[in-house]
């Protein structure tokens, strides 16, 4: 597959602060590429640099095989951007907003009409064409924001946390819309705080921290990088401290997270972790209300790599 | 592209009620309030004839001036010729407000301060100033001075009458300043356009910078709409003032012209304030409100004399204050026979606009930012 984006040794400094430090990655045509990182890790700086908005200190950025420059209009015509901050005009209707932003790329009125209606259909706003943004819920507003960025059918689409503060129904709609766009051939760069979205959407993921790439691969590849194999949650009415200490002494236990009426035990890769735990519970007469076995999630991988919660 | 951006910008402005309120309605509401306030003021300011005495120890032309001086066909002074003793008695009795002793020098005598005394002193000062001007002209250009005298033009009298009428119509300056304020508030349009097209100022700006052409193709039609709507607002304001009965003199076309041109200057000032920092839009709106009000204040909106104080104390400030240039243009149209001062102000505003546009273009040419 062709590389749609190729970033090499990208360095961006704000005064003494190095936001991106020799950051490199590439995105292949037709991929949904997840860019993950805690707040302040350099995700947005990376996207703004790739878009040519920021002056960079070092590095090389190529899009569609061409050098990205602020006046690379032949590249820009095939790019769509959906920002975290909703940027639609309150005094224009849903249809007019999409038509306005689409019109910055597509001059022909008839073609545009078709594209605008398609975008409205993709995000499911058919019933709201004549509504103005102040009359839309947060979720519908996000959908409108997306429609404004996709109507001109970009080949490359940047989505910066498009589902923040969105109700579950709208979130599902948005995720399905993104899948649909990707199936139609759009390459997508996706940043989010929600791991389940990354697992649902992304073909490949890059974890960025302190302006550097710290891990890259498919979701499965990243999970394999984790040293944790199993995570077992045990729910109680109450449990004594000395009993928790005994659980911590079980073989292969890497960490124990204690919460009110619940503990989460992280095991290293080994067989029979569950069996050993259940034996201990029986032996110590610990009354468990529920025992749940979970495989490590992307969030666990992320925690292990960056030492921080993604929602930090 | 021009039409597409123009169409939507125009639609948006027409639908943005808050913006339209400040641009169109707010100045009209202020004009209504001013008119209401000044209608009483005007009644208070109607001249009553001032009774004064003249002690004539020597022949002097000022007595003719005082006898003839009138505003709106009403005599300003009722003159009694008295001896110094009689004059003193009349003054003590309160039947005259002051008396003028004509000797080698002119001496105004009064025993209290008040409106009548102020006007009398004012007339006397202006007469002396105008006389000095004529004398200077006689020395520098006797032919021209003779021509003026032969034509029978009594410059002293005209000067004083015009000045007095100016005092009587000080409320006009307040209305002129209100037009200036309305013009400067056109800056809200310019500021909005800049805020929406600079990538480091808003999410709209980012969207407008990543398009496949230079953002100037968005700024230009947007500013065109701003100028159009602001011009309409200024025309509406002047027309509304005319309906209120404000007398702008005989050169109405030029009144509209300076109001519209002032609106353009306002848009440019707003654009510059918009570009000057990365403060949020609300804070910048507040800055523009304060700047506009300060400019109008310095041009005499609240206290008319402030305009004169600035002109005499800090003339450079008066020359770079667009609000003052607007009020001064309107003032010149109303009070002066020639258009020189009007054109001078218009040209100065043009130069200010060009300088500001050059500064703006340096910023607007940017296609990349240090941070967004």
């Amino acid at each position: 597959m062709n590389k749609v984006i190729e970033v090499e040794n990208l360095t961006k400094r704000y005064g003494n602060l190095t936001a991106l430090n020799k950051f490199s990655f590439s995105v292949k045509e037709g991929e949904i590429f997840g860019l993950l990182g805690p707040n302040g890790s350099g995700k947005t700086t990376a996207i703004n640099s790739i878009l040519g908005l920021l002056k960079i200190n070092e590095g090389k950025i190529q899009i569609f095989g061409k050098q990205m420059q602020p006046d690379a209009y032949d590249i820009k015509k095939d790019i769509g951007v959906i920002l975290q901050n909703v940027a639609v005009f309150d005094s224009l209707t849903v249809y007019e907003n999409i038509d306005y932003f689409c019109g910055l790329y597509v001059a022909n009125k008839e073609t545009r009409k078709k594209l605008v209606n398609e975008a409205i259909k993709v995000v499911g706003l058919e019933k709201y064409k004549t509504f103005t943004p102040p009359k839309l819920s947060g979720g519908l507003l996000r959908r409108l924001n997306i429609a404004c960025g996709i109507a001109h059918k970009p080949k490359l689409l940047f989505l910066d946390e498009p589902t923040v503060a969105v109700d579950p129904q709208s979130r599902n709609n948005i995720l399905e819309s993104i899948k649909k766009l990707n199936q139609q051939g759009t390459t997508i760069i996706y940043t989010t705080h929600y791991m389940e979205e990354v697992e649902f959407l992304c073909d490949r993921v890059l974890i960025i921290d302190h302006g550097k790439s710290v891990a890259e691969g498919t979701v499965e590849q990243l999970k394999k990088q984790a040293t944790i194999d199993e995570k077992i949650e045990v729910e109680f009415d109450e449990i004594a401290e000395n009993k928790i200490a005994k659980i911590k002494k079980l073989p292969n236990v890497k960490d124990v997270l204690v919460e009110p009426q619940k503990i989460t035990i992280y095991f290293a890769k080994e067989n029979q972790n569950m069996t050993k735990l259940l034996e201990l519970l029986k032996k110590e007469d610990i009354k468990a209300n529920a025992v749940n076995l979970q495989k490590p999630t992307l969030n666990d991988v992320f925690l292990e790599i960056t030492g921080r919660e993604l929602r930090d | 592209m021009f039409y597409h951006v123009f169409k939507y910008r125009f639609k948006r402005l027409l639908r943005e009620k808050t913006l339209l309120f400040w641009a169109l309605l707010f100045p009209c509401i202020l004009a209504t309030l001013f008119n209401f306030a000044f209608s009483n003021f005007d009644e208070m300011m109607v001249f009553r004839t001032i009774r004064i005495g003249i002690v004539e120890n020597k022949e002097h032309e000022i007595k003719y001036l005082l006898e003839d001086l009138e505003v709106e066909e009403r005599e300003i002074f009722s003159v009694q010729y008295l001896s110094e003793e009689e004059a003193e008695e009349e003054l003590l009795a309160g039947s005259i407000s002051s008396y003028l002793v004509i000797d080698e020098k002119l001496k105004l005598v009064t025993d209290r301060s008040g409106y009548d005394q102020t006007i009398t002193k004012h007339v006397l000062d202006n007469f002396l100033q105008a006389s000095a001007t004529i004398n200077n002209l006689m020395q520098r250009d006797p032919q021209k001075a003779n021509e003026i005298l032969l034509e029978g033009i009594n410059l002293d009298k005209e000067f004083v009458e015009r000045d007095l009428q100016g005092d009587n119509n000080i409320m006009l300056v307040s209305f002129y300043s209100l037009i200036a304020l309305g013009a400067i508030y056109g800056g809200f349009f310019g500021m909005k356009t800049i805020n929406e097209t600079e990538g480091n100022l808003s999410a709209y700006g980012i969207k407008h910078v990543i398009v496949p052409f230079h953002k100037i193709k968005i700024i230009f039609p947007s500013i065109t709409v701003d100028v159009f709507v602001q011009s309409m607002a200024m025309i509406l304001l002047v027309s509304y003032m005319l309906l209120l009965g404000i007398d702008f003199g005989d050169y109405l076309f030029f009144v509209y012209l300076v109001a519209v041109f002032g609106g353009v200057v306002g848009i440019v000032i707003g654009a510059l304030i918009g570009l000057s920092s990365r403060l949020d839009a609300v804070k910048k709106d507040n800055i523009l409100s304060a700047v506009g009000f300060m400019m109008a204040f310095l041009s005499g909106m609240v206290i008319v004399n402030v305009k004169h104080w600035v002109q005499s104390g800090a003339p450079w400030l008066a020359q770079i204050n667009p609000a003052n240039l607007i009020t001064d243009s309107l003032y010149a149209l109303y009070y002066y026979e020639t258009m020189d001062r009007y054109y001078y102000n218009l040209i100065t505003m043009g130069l200010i606009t060009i300088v500001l546009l050059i500064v703006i273009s340096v910023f607007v040419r940017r296609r990349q930012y240090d941070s967004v």
Side-chain angles (χ1 to χ4, degrees), chain A residues 217-254:
Chain A
T218 63
V219 171
E220 288 312 312
Q221 283 169 342
L222 288 177
K223 282 181 182 174
K224 279 180 190 163
Q225 286 181 23
T227 57
I228 302 162
D229 188 48
E230 284 175 344
K231 193 168 81 171
I232 301 176
E233 281 179 2
V234 188
E235 292 174 22
F236 312 92
D237 287 332
E238 56 180 350
I239 183 167
E241 282 295 323
N242 65 330
K243 308 243 164 146
I244 294 174
K246 283 184 180 170
I247 290 171
K248 282 181 179 173
K249 281 180 187 162
L250 276 171
N252 302 326
V253 170
K254 292 199 74 175

Side-chain angles (χ1 to χ4, degrees), chain A residues 41-280:
Chain A
S41 58
K43 299 187 298 285
T44 305
T45 300
I47 288 179
N48 288 336
S49 300
I50 294 166
L51 289 171
L53 278 164
L54 287 173
K55 289 176 193 163
I56 60 171
N57 298 94
E58 283 170 48
K60 195 173 140 191
I61 300 162
Q62 285 202 316
I63 299 180
F64 305 129
K66 296 173 194 164
Q67 189 73 31
M68 184 57 178
Q69 300 282 352
D71 58 354
Y73 301 133
D74 56 334
I75 297 174
K76 286 181 165 185
K77 73 179 169 49
D78 290 321
I79 292 178
V81 180
I82 292 147
L83 303 165
Q84 190 179 345
N85 294 329
V86 174
V88 293
F89 297 114
D90 282 355
S91 50
L92 297 180
T93 64
V94 164
Y95 185 93
E96 288 168 337
N97 262 297
I98 303 169
D99 186 50
Y100 172 72
F101 286 108
C102 185
L104 301 176
Y105 296 82
V106 181
N108 184 283
K109 214 173 169 181
E110 283 308 309
T111 310
R112 205 163 69 229
K113 194 174 173 184
K114 194 169 152 265
L115 290 171
V116 171
N117 283 316
E118 275 178 28
I120 287 174
K121 202 174 166 191
V122 167
V123 297
L125 285 175
E126 295 95 325
K127 288 184 205 162
Y128 305 96
K129 274 184 186 182
T130 56
F131 282 48
T132 52
K135 289 178 184 161
L136 300 177
S137 67
L140 294 176
L141 206 56
R142 290 265 165 198
R143 290 199 228 171
L144 170 60
N145 198 36
I146 291 173
C148 291
I150 62 169
H152 62 287
K153 288 208 181 297
K155 289 179 185 162
L156 174 62
L157 181 64
F158 291 83
L159 288 130
D160 190 6
E161 308 200 24
T163 57
V164 169
V166 163
D167 60 279
Q169 193 192 358
S170 281
R171 174 176 293 180
N172 285 341
N173 177 288
I174 289 168
L175 296 180
E176 289 298 337
S177 307
I178 292 165
K179 275 268 187 199
K180 221 183 287 175
L181 283 169
N182 179 246
Q183 283 158 6
Q184 289 168 5
T186 308
T187 305
I188 293 168
I189 315 285
Y190 193 85
T191 74
T192 181
H193 274 162
Y194 302 111
M195 288 298 177
E196 60 276 20
E197 291 183 3
V198 174
E199 292 197 44
F200 175 73
L201 283 175
C202 297
D203 301 309
R204 282 197 308 133
V205 179
L206 183 150
I207 297 176
I208 178 174
D209 199 18
H210 300 298
K212 281 184 172 177
S213 168
V214 289
E216 190 179 346
T218 63
V219 171
E220 288 312 312
Q221 283 169 342
L222 288 177
K223 282 181 182 174
K224 279 180 190 163
Q225 286 181 23
T227 57
I228 302 162
D229 188 48
E230 284 175 344
K231 193 168 81 171
I232 301 176
E233 281 179 2
V234 188
E235 292 174 22
F236 312 92
D237 287 332
E238 56 180 350
I239 183 167
E241 282 295 323
N242 65 330
K243 308 243 164 146
I244 294 174
K246 283 184 180 170
I247 290 171
K248 282 181 179 173
K249 281 180 187 162
L250 276 171
N252 302 326
V253 170
K254 292 199 74 175
D255 197 10
V256 177
L257 178 68
V258 182
E259 292 168 275
Q261 298 182 320
K262 188 173 105 175
I263 60 170
T264 307
I265 309 146
Y266 295 89
F267 288 98
K269 290 175 181 173
E270 194 66 50
N271 289 330
Q272 298 183 328
N273 289 327
M274 176 66 107
T275 311
K276 285 169 189 165
L277 175 68
L278 291 173
E279 279 171 2
L280 179 73

